[in-house]
Amino acid sequence: MKLLDQIPLVVLIAATVFMLGAPFVPEPHLVEKLRMLGEGRLTRPLDIFDVFWHLLPALLLALKLVRAKGKPPA
């Protein structure tokens, strides 16, 4: 958790926005993979890894915000 505390919030926000939208053209991978999940076609390990890879910065951002909520402002 020390490593997470050292990552600036701005960096995590930028990484989250970038990874949720990448690649921007023709459509984000996450949109494609969520569509595949809804259709029951998300079965290949590479596709499942891709979902987790694109959601990782969002998960880290959420963890950082939850941890920061319990801390007094500096």
Side-chain angles (χ1 to χ4, degrees):
M1 288 296 178
K2 282 179 158 182
L3 181 63
L4 182 60
D5 291 338
Q6 293 175 351
I7 302 171
L9 187 60
V10 174
V11 171
L12 275 178
I13 292 171
T16 299
V17 170
F18 178 76
M19 288 298 283
L20 290 178
F24 299 100
V25 176
E27 76 176 343
H29 278 317
L30 197 54
V31 172
E32 175 189 4
K33 302 305 180 193
L34 290 176
R35 186 179 308 114
M36 289 172 67
L37 179 64
E39 296 170 354
R41 297 185 303 121
L42 190 69
T43 56
R44 291 183 11 201
L46 182 62
D47 292 331
I48 295 167
F49 172 78
D50 203 26
V51 169
F52 287 114
W53 180 251
H54 283 273
L55 288 176
L56 181 62
L59 175 64
L60 292 175
L61 177 62
L63 284 173
K64 186 168 182 82
L65 291 175
V66 166
R67 283 181 51 81
K69 184 178 180 185
K71 292 182 180 178

